[in-house]
Amino acid sequence: LIKSALDKAKDQGVQNILALRGDLPDNSVEFDPSVGEFKYATDLVRYIRQSYGDYFCISVAGYPEGCLGPEDIDRDIEYLKAKQDEGANMVVTQLFYDVDNFLVWVDKCRKAGITMPILPGIMPIQNYGGFKRMTDLCRIKVPQEIWDRLEPIKDDDQAIKDYGIEVAAQMIRQMQAGGIRGFHFYTINLERSTRLVLERVGLVPAVSEVRPLPWNPSLSEKRAGENVRPIFWRNHARSYIKRTELWDEFPNGRWGDARSPAYGELVHGVQVRLSTEQAVRRWGTPASADDVKELFVRFCHGQLDTLPWSDTPLQPESALIQARLAEINSRGFLTINSQPSCNGAASTDKMHGWGPPNGFVYKKAYLEFFVSPSVMKDLLARLDTEPTVTYHAVNKAGELLTNCAEDSANAVTWGVFPSKEILQPTIVERVSFLAWKDEAFDFWNAWARVYDRASPAAALLRAFSDEWYLVNVVENNFQKDSASIFELFDGLGQPLPEKAQ
């Protein structure tokens, strides 16, 4: 079998071979030399070199933390030297995350007479569960600092990927400083992180990365053609995917009738993606509406990285309206979603861009927020005087106030691209908003569950859920400056005391 595989590789021009012993086949007690099995990788290297001369470049495995554990390191180095003596050309190591230990191991290898190149094995972290399983399986020591950074974001796959890129880049820089010049990546068929790591450390030129849509498309094959979604789940894509997974078709090009098929039920409610201790550490114990307003203001200023409605900081585009967001939050308009307007930015624009090159993208200014019933009356009176403004307002009980036609879908993001129809990937629509509002209000209750049920903090947060309104506002004149939508709130609400801001 081995000879057949090597002959086929040679016939097809393959010259690079990674020679591993591998695990015993199922139900086997020992390797059987009579059928061409080798007990040790050293035997395999010897066979390849004796049978094929210098045709193949032979790589072998190295174990900076020992094949079975730290107690095996010195013995493993002896085996590695034996592989070199039998004709191995290069070492590819097991994945690791302790660079200091790796550099010490390399030094030991050199002192043992191992002169062949050693390529460190790097696996960018892709998701928490897979990372934990892989490191447990391979008996890899992970520095505590990495676990500490992963814990608060373990349920956010994108944050995990971003941190994985940061870790891998930092490892490479440290190894480069230690004299290492070559690297091996375990991509596990996820090449994007590897490419971004290589760009970050300057090993490949940066590639302009264009988002295909303003939101991250699902990788599910059945959703491959989906290119329209309501804006409400912008910060909670997983929930939207879950609640629409039974749909037979997904919107493509235009939004259809959201009532058929209906959204799936919110069966188990929402959860705060932090432990009780982490939540209290971030958000304290609010004792008044002003305390809650102050937390939203801090989030707008980037002083908090998460709120129950958003697992990540503000979108980069929100930098354009950050100060105005903070100002209206300080007056009791507690924003959970927003976007600035945009009138024909290039599709490659770093702030607004998405879609194919040589296109142009457009956005209407949008705000979504909670507001107290005492302010609602004055706010709606003002909104009703603005001919280019549309809104929906609803309380927990489902009492809806709106100036929109019942079945209308309002495109709030669209793009114009060469040789394509106009794409409108983000919309505001009544039925979708009413489905989303159940989740939006339930986040108040999830936050309340962080505290003792009988506590004043829990009662305060439940009151927000029971009494306040959820409102979305669209300024349909996309030619207006983003600041114009905030003028609708001038003079409304009660500002925070000066020191709280």
Side-chain angles (χ1 to χ4, degrees):
L1 180 62
I2 291 174
K3 183 179 186 306
S4 174
L6 289 167
D7 286 345
K8 185 175 181 180
K10 185 176 181 181
D11 289 344
Q12 296 187 5
V14 175
Q15 289 190 278
N16 296 309
I17 296 291
L18 178 59
L20 305 174
R21 187 198 75 166
D23 296 326
L24 289 165
D26 291 343
N27 304 317
S28 295
V29 177
E30 188 57 89
F31 287 100
D32 185 356
S34 68
V35 296
E37 295 176 354
F38 296 108
K39 186 173 183 179
Y40 301 111
T42 306
D43 301 325
L44 176 58
V45 172
R46 183 188 306 115
Y47 172 79
I48 297 172
R49 191 59 73 209
Q50 289 178 350
S51 301
Y52 298 90
D54 292 332
Y55 177 79
F56 289 113
C57 172
I58 305 173
S59 299
V60 292
Y63 299 91
E65 297 178 11
C67 182
L68 298 177
E71 65 278 2
D72 295 325
I73 289 178
D74 291 337
R75 186 175 58 184
D76 287 342
I77 289 176
E78 293 176 10
Y79 294 156
L80 194 57
K81 176 62 164 61
K83 295 175 191 177
Q84 176 179 278
D85 294 342
E86 294 295 347
N89 303 106
M90 183 168 58
V91 180
V92 176
T93 79
Q94 174 68 284
L95 60 98
F96 63 89
Y97 295 91
D98 188 337
V99 175
D100 291 334
N101 178 76
F102 166 76
L103 293 175
V104 169
W105 177 80
V106 170
D107 188 53
K108 284 186 176 183
C109 289
R110 299 308 184 209
K111 289 177 179 178
I114 297 170
T115 58
M116 53 185 168
I118 297 175
L119 301 185
I122 299 171
M123 188 181 81
I125 305 168
Q126 300 287 351
N127 62 75
Y128 185 85
F131 173 69
K132 191 172 190 311
R133 284 192 298 273
M134 183 66 76
T135 53
D136 287 347
L137 177 67
C138 299
R139 304 180 184 88
I140 302 302
K141 176 187 174 185
V142 179
Q144 187 58 43
E145 177 189 356
I146 292 179
W147 290 122
D148 291 343
R149 289 284 302 275
L150 289 174
E151 180 62 28
I153 59 173
K154 65 182 180 181
D155 294 316
D156 186 335
D157 282 354
Q158 187 56 54
I160 292 280
K161 285 181 172 65
D162 292 343
Y163 177 60
I165 293 167
E166 176 187 331
V167 169
Q170 185 177 7
M171 290 174 63
I172 288 174
R173 292 190 190 102
Q174 185 178 349
M175 286 186 279
Q176 287 175 322
I180 305 301
R181 293 293 176 264
F183 305 92
H184 174 82
F185 282 86
Y186 296 101
T187 64
I188 54 176
N189 293 326
L190 298 169
E191 85 294 336
R192 178 180 178 274
S193 290
T194 296
R195 175 172 58 79
L196 293 178
V197 170
L198 293 173
E199 289 180 9
R200 186 167 297 190
V201 297
L203 292 177
V204 298
V207 176
S208 177
E209 187 169 344
V210 178
R211 296 182 297 165
L213 293 165
W215 36 267
N216 290 328
S218 170
L219 298 179
S220 169
E221 184 176 349
K222 66 181 287 189
R223 306 183 80 113
E226 180 185 26
N227 61 18
V228 187
R229 286 184 186 175
I231 196 172
F232 315 119
W233 284 273
R234 186 183 192 190
N235 298 319
H236 292 278
R238 283 190 296 272
S239 174
Y240 178 77
I241 291 171
K242 180 71 174 175
R243 296 188 67 177
T244 59
E245 64 183 355
L246 297 180
W247 288 10
D248 294 325
E249 296 180 358
F250 297 93
N252 180 283
R254 296 291 183 272
W255 182 257
D257 187 346
R259 295 171 298 181
S260 179
Y263 285 94
E265 293 298 322
L266 183 62
V267 178
H268 301 295
V270 301
Q271 294 180 335
V272 171
R273 294 184 180 274
L274 297 172
S275 68
T276 298
E277 294 76 15
Q278 291 169 335
V280 172
R281 198 159 53 238
R282 275 179 170 78
W283 306 326
T285 304
S288 66
D290 279 356
D291 289 345
V292 175
K293 288 158 61 174
E294 184 177 356
L295 289 171
F296 277 78
V297 170
R298 289 177 58 203
F299 180 78
C300 292
H301 284 310
Q303 297 164 355
L304 275 180
D305 59 0
T306 181
L307 283 174
W309 296 267
S310 183
D311 298 331
T312 58
L314 287 175
Q315 300 282 341
E317 65 182 9
S318 295
L320 300 172
I321 54 175
Q322 184 177 28
R324 298 304 299 266
L325 282 172
E327 197 271 331
I328 66 169
N329 275 274
S330 74
R331 288 191 280 113
F333 300 94
L334 306 181
T335 58
I336 60 172
N337 202 347
S338 62
Q339 75 173 24
S341 61
C342 168
N343 184 16
S347 58
T348 54
D349 183 87
K350 291 184 178 180
M351 189 72 72
H352 299 289
W354 57 273
N358 303 313
F360 296 90
V361 298
Y362 300 81
K363 293 187 294 188
K364 298 174 182 178
Y366 173 82
L367 290 173
E368 185 179 338
F369 52 89
F370 292 101
V371 65
S372 69
S374 62
V375 179
M376 266 290 295
K377 182 178 179 181
D378 291 338
L379 174 64
L380 294 187
R382 185 171 296 182
L383 296 180
D384 284 333
T385 65
E386 298 291 331
T388 60
V389 170
T390 51
Y391 67 85
H392 297 85
V394 67
N395 60 14
K396 184 178 179 180
E399 298 168 349
L400 179 70
L401 302 168
T402 182
N403 63 350
C404 298
E406 181 176 354
D407 296 324
S408 63
N410 186 358
V412 292
T413 308
W414 65 100
V416 181
F417 307 98
S419 303
K420 286 182 175 290
E421 292 185 353
I422 293 175
L423 299 179
Q424 51 178 47
T426 314
I427 58 100
V428 168
E429 185 266 343
R430 176 184 297 196
V431 174
S432 304
F433 180 61
L434 293 177
W436 158 246
K437 68 94 176 170
D438 295 330
E439 292 180 53
F441 282 109
D442 204 25
F443 274 113
W444 288 110
N445 297 320
W447 188 2
R449 289 193 292 272
V450 168
Y451 311 99
D452 183 87
R453 179 169 180 78
S455 68
L460 171 71
L461 297 172
R462 287 195 299 270
F464 277 95
S465 175
D466 294 340
E467 300 170 10
W468 284 42
Y469 278 80
L470 177 67
V471 183
N472 70 64
V473 176
V474 180
E475 171 51 81
N476 291 282
N477 186 348
F478 58 90
Q479 295 180 324
K480 284 187 175 181
D481 184 85
S482 296
S484 65
I485 195 170
F486 293 95
E487 295 171 2
L488 300 170
F489 305 89
D490 287 349
L492 299 178
Q494 182 64 42
L496 280 169
E498 191 68 29
K499 64 177 183 179
Q501 301 182 55

